[in-house]
Amino acid sequence: MGKFVMRKTNTGVKFDLKATNGQVIATSEVYNSDAACKNGIESVAKNAPAANVENQTVEGYETAKCPKFEIYKDNADEFRFRLKATNGQIIAVSEGYTTLASCENGIESVKKNAVDAEVVVEE
């Protein structure tokens, strides 16, 4: 089972979703309060398992309905994903992956690990 790790930053609070092996598989934006960060965690736990996947690296891709994972390429030509909630807001993002397959594995890992994940507050 994965876990959400909340931690303070210089400008607020953010979370990382970690897989059972401790690897960070998704990260949040910076929230201005613990409560807002916990809402973000709940949103990921609720939206990730049922989210569609929209691969924007394919020409003529079909637009998926939110909630969805959007796969795209960054400036370093790496594959990344962002998870958008039902309202279209980005609620989690990934690291860069060198292959599409590993990016897709990251999405599957988020779908699996976000469910019933414990929330840990890092001091």
Side-chain angles (χ1 to χ4, degrees):
M1 188 166 62
K3 66 181 172 187
F4 288 99
V5 180
M6 285 176 55
R7 60 188 163 84
K8 298 222 179 299
T9 68
N10 292 339
T11 55
V13 190
K14 68 184 296 187
F15 68 80
D16 291 325
L17 174 58
K18 293 187 175 185
T20 40
N21 64 4
Q23 184 126 14
V24 174
I25 50 177
T27 302
S28 74
E29 65 180 344
V30 177
Y31 295 94
N32 55 12
S33 69
D34 286 1
C37 188
K38 285 180 180 156
N39 284 343
I41 288 171
E42 284 173 22
S43 187
V44 169
K46 186 179 89 187
N47 286 288
N52 296 301
V53 177
E54 179 181 292
N55 185 350
Q56 298 179 347
T57 67
V58 178
E59 200 172 315
Y61 67 88
E62 209 169 300
T63 304
K65 194 169 170 263
C66 290
K68 66 182 173 181
F69 286 94
E70 292 178 339
I71 298 173
Y72 64 98
K73 278 195 161 184
D74 64 14
N75 294 338
D77 212 32
E78 290 189 318
F79 293 92
R80 292 180 179 265
F81 65 80
R82 57 187 157 240
L83 173 58
K84 287 189 168 181
T86 315
N87 64 4
Q89 209 170 5
I90 296 171
I91 51 177
V93 296
S94 74
E95 63 183 3
Y97 295 95
T98 52
T99 66
L100 176 59
S102 52
C103 185
E104 290 171 332
N105 286 343
I107 289 171
E108 287 309 310
S109 187
V110 170
K111 286 183 169 201
K112 192 174 69 190
N113 285 286
V115 179
D116 300 326
E118 72 174 309
V119 178
V120 179
V121 179
E122 223 173 55
E123 293 305 319

